[in-house]
């Protein structure tokens, strides 16, 4: 009954728009796909933000006001993301937005947030090579996920041949560019790297999986590093099972496959394959148990799971609340200044800090898929890792740093030339 009441209230909010809001509320925009190829991953993130708003209101709100969710559906349509972002900022006049999953959606909305000086909390791992004063990157940068995963495969499993398989858009292409450079710097030959891209929603994996099997039959330990995103993961992993590709033969480590995606299909053939994240539902921590209990009560479904991007929204939301309290206002510029250095709990029993480059500190975890759709954590960093906006592994990036603290206040400052080549506060 509790979830039904919330649903009715949300529908009323969406249908009646600003007419039902009082002047004493703080509006929180939610910009996640509720339909289309990315709905499999993003719908849960919408619900996570609604839960955080609900909990904050139960705790007394913020600055003496209640929070109101303004939910829009960009429908996995990248230009529509920009339109909906403008609607949230200009028409609905939200104070903050939590949203996007793919990097192409983030790139689509970025000019809108910079033009209108909005605040976007982006909760998903991404390719780096970006730092905006209007975006807070609470997901992993490559040095907080992709690079440690490759190190694990290389050092612990002794992988020699590499399949870099991804969906055809900016995140997989840039991440694989970084990984290819990193592998070659570590002595991997060109012929031992296979790169493949498929469109969003790709469903026919028979030939590609066959090619992967053939590539892995050269007598060298082979692994797949997967940046396949969205609902294409379902037929990809099914085809791996159909062709008998086991984790013992060719392990797959995924960066976009978590508990939510696994809940949609039979995990039996996938046992032993890997994922690299900064959080798993199976993390043994009291704060994680409390979060899971709160989530299951809110969503009113004991079969639902938690995942890494949900934790990123949990962290980002709490950081925003702390920054607003610190600044005494929801004004975007004041929050941008106040949030640097803000530290809140993560769900692994540690702490997350917002750094001057608008990335946060995160532990790195690698988990094995279990038959129940959960992950057994097989490796983790001894502490947290600071997110690197600009990679050290690409020419042209290693000399760039991001620091939004004044007086530098620049997202792409070249330390060799002493120049800021993009957006800054000036």
């Amino acid at each position: 009954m509790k979830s039904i009441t919330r649903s009715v209230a949300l529908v009323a909010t969406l249908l009646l728009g600003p007419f039902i809001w009082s002047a004493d509320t703080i509006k929180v925009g939610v910009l996640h796909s509720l339909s289309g190829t990315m709905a499999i991953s993003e719908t849960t993130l919408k619900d996570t933000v609604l839960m955080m708003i609900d909990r904050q209101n139960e705790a007394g709100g913020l600055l003496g006001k209640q929070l109101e969710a303004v939910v829009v559906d960009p429908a996995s349509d990248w230009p529509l993301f920009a339109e909906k972002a403008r609607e949230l900022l200009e028409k609905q006049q939200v104070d903050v937005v939590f949203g996007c999953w793919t990097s192409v959606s983030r790139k689509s909305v970025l000019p809108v947030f910079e033009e209108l000086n909005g605040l976007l909390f982006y909760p998903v791992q991404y390719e780096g090579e970006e730092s905006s004063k209007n975006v807070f990157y609470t997901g992993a940068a490559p040095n907080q996920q992709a690079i440690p995963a490759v190190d694990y495969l290389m050092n612990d499993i002794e992988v020699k041949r590499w399949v870099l398989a991804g969906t055809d858009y900016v995140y997989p292409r840039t991440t694989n560019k970084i990984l290819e450079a990193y592998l070659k710097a570590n002595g991997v030959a060109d012929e031992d790297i296979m790169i493949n891209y498929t469109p969003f929603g790709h469903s026919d994996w028979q030939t590609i999986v066959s090619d992967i099997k053939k590539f892995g039959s050269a007598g060298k330990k082979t692994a797949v590093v997967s940046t396949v995103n969205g609902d294409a993961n379902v037929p990809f992993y099914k085809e791996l099972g159909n062709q008998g590709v086991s984790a013992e033969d060719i392990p797959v480590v995924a960066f976009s496959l978590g508990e939510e995606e696994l809940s949609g299909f039979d995990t039996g053939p996938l046992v032993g394959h890997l994922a690299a994240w900064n959080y798993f539902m199976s993390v043994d921590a009291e704060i994680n148990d409390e979060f899971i209990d709160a989530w299951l009560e809110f969503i009113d479904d004991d079969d639902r799971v938690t995942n890494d991007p949900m934790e990123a929204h949990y962290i980002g939301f709490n950081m925003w609340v702390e920054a607003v309290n610190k600044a005494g206002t929801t004004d975007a510029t004041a929050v941008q200044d106040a949030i640097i250095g803000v530290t809140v709990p993560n769900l692994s029993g540690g702490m997350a800090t917002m750094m001057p480059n608008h990335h946060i500190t995160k532990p790195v975890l690698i988990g094995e898929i279990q038959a129940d759709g959960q992950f057994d954590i097989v490796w983790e960093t001894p502490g947290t890792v600071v997110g690197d906006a600009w990679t050290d592994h690409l020419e042209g990036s290693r000399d760039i740093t991001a620091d939004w603290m004044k007086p530098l206040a620049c997202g792409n400052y070249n330390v060799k030339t002493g120049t800021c080549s993009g957006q800054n506060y000036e």
Side-chain angles (χ1 to χ4, degrees):
M1 181 61 68
K2 186 176 181 182
S3 62
I4 294 174
T5 302
R6 285 199 189 95
S7 298
V8 172
L10 176 58
V11 170
T13 300
L14 295 176
L15 292 177
L16 298 178
F19 299 104
I20 71 168
W21 286 309
S22 74
D24 295 326
T25 58
I26 293 173
K27 298 179 186 178
V28 177
V30 185
L31 184 65
H32 281 301
S33 295
L34 310 181
S35 56
T37 188
M38 293 308 302
I40 185 177
S41 299
E42 293 194 66
T43 300
T44 292
L45 296 189
K46 176 265 297 180
D47 291 331
T48 303
V49 179
L50 295 183
M51 181 184 76
M52 297 304 295
I53 291 171
D54 186 74
R55 292 178 60 168
Q56 189 65 35
N57 285 336
E58 288 177 355
L62 184 59
L63 300 181
K65 301 179 181 181
Q66 291 285 284
L67 305 182
E68 289 278 2
V70 186
V71 180
V72 295
D73 178 15
S76 307
D77 182 323
W78 318 134
L80 188 57
F81 265 89
E83 294 179 27
K84 292 297 184 181
R86 188 171 293 277
E87 175 187 331
L88 287 172
L89 295 173
E90 281 191 327
K91 181 181 178 182
Q92 307 291 2
Q93 296 186 343
V94 300
D95 295 283
V96 64
V97 175
F98 294 85
C100 299
W101 181 291
T102 67
S103 285
V104 67
S105 66
R106 189 193 72 257
K107 293 287 189 183
S108 177
V109 306
L110 184 57
V112 178
F113 279 89
E114 292 183 344
E115 174 194 343
L116 301 176
N117 196 31
L119 300 178
L120 172 66
F121 282 79
Y122 177 66
V124 184
Q125 82 288 342
Y126 86 121
E127 69 280 359
E129 308 304 286
E130 178 183 301
S131 180
S132 169
K133 75 180 180 71
N134 299 95
V135 181
F136 301 97
Y137 307 83
T138 56
N143 72 306
Q144 295 173 309
Q145 184 186 39
I147 296 296
V150 166
D151 283 341
Y152 172 78
L153 292 173
M154 189 179 295
N155 298 326
D156 289 49
I157 304 184
E158 299 183 339
V159 170
K160 303 296 182 183
R161 301 200 95 194
W162 303 83
V163 179
L164 308 182
T167 302
D168 192 5
Y169 73 106
V170 60
Y171 163 63
R173 284 192 173 273
T174 306
T175 298
N176 287 340
K177 184 179 179 181
I178 293 169
L179 291 180
E180 184 180 12
Y182 185 71
L183 289 170
K184 289 180 178 179
N186 280 274
V188 178
D190 286 346
E191 61 266 24
D192 288 328
I193 302 174
M194 170 185 168
I195 303 176
N196 178 267
Y197 296 102
T198 48
F200 279 99
H202 188 70
S203 59
D204 184 5
W205 288 91
Q206 186 173 355
T207 300
I208 296 171
V209 171
S210 178
D211 290 342
I212 290 172
K213 286 183 66 177
K214 183 177 179 181
F215 184 79
S217 64
K220 297 180 180 179
K221 184 64 177 179
T222 302
V224 177
V225 178
S226 173
T227 48
V228 176
N229 228 314
D231 55 11
N233 274 297
V234 176
F236 172 50
Y237 278 89
K238 282 186 176 179
E239 188 58 35
L240 288 173
N242 290 342
Q243 296 197 30
V245 179
S246 70
E248 290 78 14
D249 299 328
I250 303 177
V252 178
V253 61
F255 302 155
S256 298
L257 182 78
E259 293 87 345
E260 184 73 12
E261 291 78 15
L262 287 176
S263 66
F265 56 97
D266 177 21
T267 58
L270 308 184
V271 171
H273 287 298
L274 306 165
W277 291 103
N278 310 106
Y279 163 85
F280 289 109
M281 186 176 181
S282 57
V283 165
D284 183 15
E286 183 177 349
I287 190 172
N288 186 41
D289 294 338
E290 293 170 355
F291 178 78
I292 293 170
D293 289 343
W295 167 245
L296 295 178
E297 179 184 0
F298 177 84
I299 209 67
D300 198 20
D301 183 350
D302 289 341
D303 293 328
R304 292 291 295 273
V305 296
T306 60
N307 63 23
D308 179 279
M310 290 175 66
E311 189 215 24
H313 263 340
Y314 169 87
I315 292 170
F317 186 91
N318 287 332
M319 284 184 165
W320 172 71
V321 168
E322 288 292 322
V324 168
N325 281 324
K326 182 179 174 182
T329 177
T330 59
D331 174 75
T333 300
V335 172
Q336 287 161 2
D337 289 337
I339 200 169
I340 294 175
V342 164
T343 299
V344 300
N346 61 30
L347 293 178
S348 298
M351 304 296 289
T353 300
M354 180 63 69
M355 305 304 290
N357 63 3
H358 284 192
H359 293 65
I360 69 173
T361 56
K362 302 173 79 72
V364 185
L365 312 174
I366 294 176
E368 282 188 359
I369 298 174
Q370 303 298 293
D372 62 357
Q374 290 293 317
F375 290 87
D376 178 32
I377 299 170
V378 297
W379 182 89
E380 60 186 297
T381 52
T384 58
V385 178
V386 176
D388 192 354
W390 299 93
T391 185
D392 294 331
H393 306 295
L394 293 180
E395 192 70 32
S397 293
R398 60 175 59 98
D399 297 328
I400 300 176
T401 190
D403 186 340
W404 287 107
M405 291 185 68
K406 296 176 181 178
L408 187 59
C410 176
N412 48 6
Y413 182 80
N414 191 303
V415 297
K416 284 191 173 181
T417 64
T419 58
C420 180
S421 58
Q423 181 206 37
N424 58 25
Y425 274 137
E426 302 303 320

